[in-house]
C-alpha cells in the first residue's frame, strides 16, 4: 500500500470548507468560481474527497505542465519536524493539496499545536521542497487550524515509528 493510499484510507475529520482570504482574486481553491486560469486541475484531501479535475483546458499551443499529486506528496514527505522523527505528511499535518494548470501548487497544512516551536520553519521547508519539483512555478503554503490536528491523523507507519498504537 502506498503512502497516498494509506493516508486516504484513514478516517479523518472533514477538511475546512471556507478560508478567510484578503482578496477573492487571490483564492486558489478548486471550488473557486473564478476564471479557468484559477481552477485547480487536481486537488487532494486526506479524507479521500478528491476534487474533480478542471474541465478547462490549457490555451491552444500550450501544454499543462503541472506536477503530479504523487510527486508533490513525495516532496512534502522530505520535510521532517525536528522534534519528531517522522515526516510531516505521515504525521497527518497536510490537509489539502491543489494543483493548477500553470504550475502553481497550494498546500494547506497544520501543526501539532499552535505554539509549535517549528511554526516558522516548517511551512517554508514545505514551500521550498515543492518549488524544487519540475513544472512548479509557485508554491503557496497556508497554515490552518480547523480541524485541529490530533493523533488519529497519523499514518500507521508514523504510529509505529513513534510507538503510538
Amino acid at each position: 500500500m502506498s503512502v497516498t493510499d494509506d493516508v486516504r484510507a484513514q478516517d479523518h475529520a472533514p477538511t475546512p470548507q471556507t478560508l478567510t482570504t484578503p482578496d477573492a482574486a487571490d483564492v486558489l481553491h478548486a471550488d473557486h468560481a473564478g476564471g479557468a486560469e484559477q481552477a485547480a486541475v487536481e486537488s487532494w484531501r486526506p479524507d479521500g474527497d478528491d476534487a474533480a479535475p478542471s474541465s478547462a483546458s490549457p490555451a491552444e499551443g500550450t501544454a499543462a505542465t503541472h506536477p503530479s499529486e504523487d510527486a508533490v506528496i513525495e516532496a512534502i514527505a522530505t520535510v521532517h519536524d525536528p522534534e519528531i522523527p517522522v515526516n510531516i505528511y505521515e504525521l497527518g499535518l497536510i490537509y489539502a493539496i491543489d494543483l493548477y494548470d500553470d504550475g502553481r501548487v497550494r498546500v494547506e497544512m497544520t501543526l501539532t499545536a499552535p505554539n509549535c516551536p517549528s511554526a516558522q520553519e516548517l511551512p517554508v521547508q514545505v514551500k521550498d521542497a515543492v518549488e524544487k519539483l519540475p513544472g512548479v512555478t509557485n508554491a503557496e503554503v497556508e497554515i490552518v487550524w480547523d480541524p485541529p490536528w490530533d493523533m488519529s491523523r497519523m499514518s500507521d507507519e508514523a504510529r509505529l515509528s513513534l510507538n503510538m498504537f
Side-chain angles (χ1 to χ4, degrees), residues 52-121:
S54 168
S55 60
S57 59
E60 288 201 24
T62 63
T65 57
H66 61 86
S68 72
E69 173 185 302
D70 289 337
V72 172
I73 290 171
E74 286 178 26
I76 291 171
T78 65
V79 178
H80 288 73
D81 185 314
E83 296 179 332
I84 305 171
V86 176
N87 73 65
I88 65 168
Y89 183 81
E90 295 293 333
L91 282 174
L93 299 180
I94 303 301
Y95 282 6
I97 299 170
D98 294 328
L99 307 176
Y100 298 87
D101 267 337
D102 61 1
R104 290 177 296 140
V105 177
R106 184 172 182 285
V107 177
E108 284 182 11
M109 67 175 286
T110 194
L111 301 169
T112 55
N115 59 350
C116 174
S118 302
Q120 298 299 314
E121 63 194 60

Side-chain angles (χ1 to χ4, degrees), residues 28-30 32 34-41 54 56 99-101 104:
L28 299 177
H29 284 291
H32 178 61
E37 69 279 359
Q38 294 247 337
V41 175
S54 168
L99 307 176
Y100 298 87
D101 267 337
R104 290 177 296 140

